[in-house]
Amino acid sequence: QVQLVESGGGLVQAGDSLRLSCSASGFAFNTYTLGWFRQAPGKEREFVASSGWDGDNAYYGDAVMGRFTVSRDNAKNMVYLQMKNLKSEDTAVYYCAAPRLARVFSRSSSLSFYDFWGQGTQVTVSP
């Protein structure tokens, strides 16, 4: 059974940093791309970042490019999202996601790339 559990969210001020973690189990973690998405109230779920199976490839959404960094530790089945210079518009529930099959990394910004989702962790950035 695939499980993805996010943690690390909280309330911070604009300009602060925060690191989210996602613990994965139930699948061959070190062979799959992992992704981060976010969803703000009243908005669609938005791609944030993805990490290729070996951690050497990363892909970012335009809104977070240069501020967020995705990384993973395959030995621990963990993927991380380091967020810096947070803005009020970063306020959202952040989700970790994994695909059922190995898929082309260049498509990893798409919701349809992923089959499994965590429950999300709330990040709130005050102005």
Side-chain angles (χ1 to χ4, degrees):
Q1 181 180 359
V2 174
Q3 284 194 320
L4 300 166
V5 181
E6 302 93 339
S7 61
L11 173 63
V12 297
Q13 293 185 332
D16 284 351
S17 298
L18 202 61
R19 190 177 83 154
L20 305 183
S21 300
C22 174
S23 175
S25 61
F27 65 105
F29 180 87
N30 61 354
T31 62
Y32 292 116
T33 293
L34 274 291
W36 285 98
F37 285 74
R38 67 186 184 186
Q39 189 165 19
K43 295 188 177 181
E44 295 186 351
R45 195 163 294 193
E46 174 189 27
F47 172 72
V48 174
S50 59
S51 173
W53 67 272
D54 59 359
D56 286 346
N57 292 309
Y59 188 21
Y60 296 97
D62 290 342
V64 306
M65 184 83 70
R67 299 188 297 122
F68 290 12
T69 303
V70 62
S71 62
R72 63 193 292 163
D73 185 338
N74 284 346
K76 296 181 179 179
N77 282 15
M78 297 288 294
V79 62
Y80 306 99
L81 185 69
Q82 178 67 52
M83 306 184 293
K84 296 182 179 179
N85 190 23
L86 282 161
K87 305 176 181 180
S88 57
E89 51 263 44
D90 295 319
T91 294
V93 177
Y94 284 71
Y95 298 93
C96 176
R100 184 185 308 274
L101 302 170
R103 297 186 171 122
V104 177
F105 181 74
S106 61
R107 299 178 182 175
S108 61
S109 64
S110 171
L111 283 167
S112 63
F113 184 94
Y114 302 93
D115 302 285
F116 304 105
W117 297 84
Q119 83 290 346
T121 186
Q122 176 71 47
V123 173
T124 303
V125 184
S126 63

